[in-house]
């Protein structure tokens, strides 16, 4: 399928999903004409439905449509075999009625069970356009096609959106009452608020108090158990001094090692150079001689 068409189908199924509550697996009601045409064209109906719907589809067939297929006789045996793989939809028609009428009765005036209809009957397709939110699939020259949304469907979608934007009087009243109920408790909460101390102001004060205390302690005694922060700071200072000492020692060791390594490297380089010189010299000598 072309990328452009796949995108259009995806968008269309999103419309049915978001506005009319369609859900995967989509229930696809297949009638006798579609099933017959599909098997004649050797279309893998179940696989192609998934591609056209851009999601998982569940093929179904009504009892009346099955009866129609049985009437085809031995010529339609392959079609019957394919249809037997679909889920059977009970339509409660005691005596089989024409498949077209059966599908229309199952869909009803609102398609409340959210069926996708797959049919080759142009008459049925025309009638289904008067029912809101009925995705229709048919086969055109061995290509499965999802029809664009009908005017009825688009109107139903627009109406639903308008209703959500402009709620009716009772809904507005319920919303207002809900909002007033919600509004009262926050006021009482706000009154409760000031009684407790502001945690932000408390946090800012704490470090100032400690700093002033430590300064005083340092000036008076220097070593006091009560000032933990002060003790830590003195430790940090000691560590800093100690750290410098250790660092110097390490640097000294490193420099010593480096010197040793350099010496070793230099020696190795000298040796290699001597060896290389020997190798170079010997061929030159042979050439010269
Ligand atoms: Zn029926």
């Amino acid at each position: 399928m072309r990328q452009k068409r796949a995108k259009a189908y995806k968008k269309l199924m999103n419309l049915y999903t978001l506005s009319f509550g369609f859900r995967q697996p989509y229930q696809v009601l297949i009638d006798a004409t579609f099933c017959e045409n599909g098997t004649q064209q050797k279309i893998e109906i179940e696989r192609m439905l998934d591609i056209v719907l851009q999601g998982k589809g569940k093929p179904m067939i009504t009892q009346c449509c099955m009866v129609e297929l049985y009437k085809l006789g031995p010529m339609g045996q392959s079609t019957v075999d394919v249809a037997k793989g679909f889920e059977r939809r009970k339509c409660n028609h005691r005596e089989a009625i024409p498949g077209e009428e059966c599908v229309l009765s199952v869909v009803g005036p609102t398609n409340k069970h959210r069926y996708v209809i797959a049919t080759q009957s142009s008459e049925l397709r025309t009638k289904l356009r008067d029912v809101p939110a009925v995705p229709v699939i048919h086969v055109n020259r061995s290509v499965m096609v999802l029809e664009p949304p009908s005017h009825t469907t688009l109107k139903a979608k627009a109406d639903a959106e308008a209703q959500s934007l402009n709620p009716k009087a009772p809904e507005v009243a319920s919303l207002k009452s809900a909002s007033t109920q919600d509004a009262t408790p926050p006021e009482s909460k706000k009154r409760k608020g000031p009684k407790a101390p502001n945690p932000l102001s408390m946090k800012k004060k704490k470090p100032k108090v400690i700093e002033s205390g430590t300064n005083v302690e340092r000036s008076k005694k220097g070593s006091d158990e009560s000032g933990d922060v002060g003790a830590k700071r003195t430790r940090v200072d000691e560590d800093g001094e100690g750290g410098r000492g250790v660092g110097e020692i390490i640097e000294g060791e490193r420099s010593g090692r480096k010197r040793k390594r350099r010496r070793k490297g230099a020696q190795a380089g000298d040796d290699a150079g001597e060896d290389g010189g020997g190798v170079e010299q010997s061929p030159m000598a042979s050439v010269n001689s």
Side-chain angles (χ1 to χ4, degrees):
M1 196 180 352
R2 284 180 193 170
Q3 196 69 27
K4 195 179 171 185
R5 188 180 287 171
K7 206 173 174 183
Y9 286 170
K10 186 101 183 170
K11 197 179 169 188
L12 186 48
M13 288 319 292
N14 273 341
L15 183 152
Y16 288 119
T17 306
L18 296 172
S19 299
F20 300 105
F22 277 67
R23 259 176 265 117
Q24 290 188 47
Y26 303 114
Q27 300 187 102
V28 187
L29 208 55
I30 295 167
D31 80 342
T33 60
F34 188 91
C35 198
E36 199 184 347
N37 188 285
T39 45
Q40 278 173 3
Q41 307 261 12
K42 292 178 180 174
I43 292 172
E44 291 176 76
I45 292 175
E46 206 162 343
R47 195 174 67 85
M48 288 307 293
L49 281 177
D50 290 354
I51 293 169
V52 169
L53 295 171
Q54 295 288 298
K56 192 70 197 149
K58 184 166 72 177
M60 304 173 89
I61 191 162
T62 66
Q63 193 64 42
C64 300
C65 288
M66 274 310 285
V67 171
E68 242 177 51
L69 290 177
Y70 283 130
K71 283 179 186 171
L72 293 171
M75 290 287 285
Q77 189 56 46
S78 57
T79 311
V80 169
D81 291 342
V82 169
K84 275 181 178 173
F86 302 156
E87 190 172 308
R88 202 68 58 87
R89 207 286 187 185
K90 283 182 185 174
C91 55
N92 294 328
H93 298 128
R94 286 183 182 178
E95 283 188 28
I97 59 171
E100 200 171 295
E101 288 175 28
C102 180
V103 168
L104 277 175
S105 74
V106 167
V107 169
T110 56
N111 191 20
K112 67 171 180 178
H113 295 294
R114 300 184 184 92
Y115 288 116
V116 179
I117 306 299
T119 179
Q120 289 301 102
S121 163
S122 55
E123 243 179 85
L124 179 56
R125 276 155 54 196
T126 312
K127 284 176 184 171
L128 287 171
R129 280 178 206 137
D130 293 335
V131 184
V134 184
V136 180
I137 292 170
H138 73 276
V139 173
N140 184 19
R141 293 178 188 174
S142 78
V143 175
M144 218 179 261
V145 178
L146 178 63
E147 291 184 6
S150 65
H151 290 293
T152 319
T153 301
L154 291 174
K155 192 179 176 295
K157 187 202 168 209
D159 287 351
E161 281 173 358
Q163 202 178 334
S164 64
L165 285 172
N166 305 312
K168 288 174 186 173
E171 286 175 348
V172 170
S174 66
L175 283 171
K176 274 185 179 177
S177 65
S179 64
T180 49
Q181 282 174 1
D182 291 341
T184 42
E187 285 179 2
S188 60
K189 279 178 186 173
K190 277 179 184 174
R191 283 171 193 171
K192 283 176 186 173
K195 286 178 183 175
N198 188 350
L200 290 170
S201 64
M202 291 297 288
K203 276 186 178 177
K204 279 186 179 178
K205 280 179 184 175
K206 275 181 181 176
K208 283 179 183 175
V209 170
I210 289 162
E211 279 179 13
S212 61
T214 50
N215 287 337
V216 171
E217 282 162 12
R218 274 183 185 177
S219 62
K220 282 182 179 178
K221 292 178 181 177
S223 62
D224 200 343
E225 290 176 5
S226 63
D228 289 335
V229 178
K232 277 181 185 175
R233 281 187 181 173
T234 53
R235 276 178 198 168
V236 167
D237 292 342
E238 285 170 5
D239 288 348
E241 287 170 6
R244 280 173 197 168
V246 171
E248 283 169 7
I249 291 162
I250 289 166
E251 278 176 17
E253 285 177 0
R254 278 180 185 171
S255 61
R257 281 175 191 171
K258 278 180 185 175
R259 279 171 196 168
K260 281 177 184 175
R261 279 175 191 169
R262 278 176 194 167
R263 282 172 194 168
K264 280 181 182 177
Q267 284 175 358
D270 292 342
D271 293 343
E274 284 170 10
D275 291 341
V279 172
E280 280 177 7
Q281 280 176 357
S282 60
M284 287 294 283
S286 63
V287 167
N288 287 338
S289 64

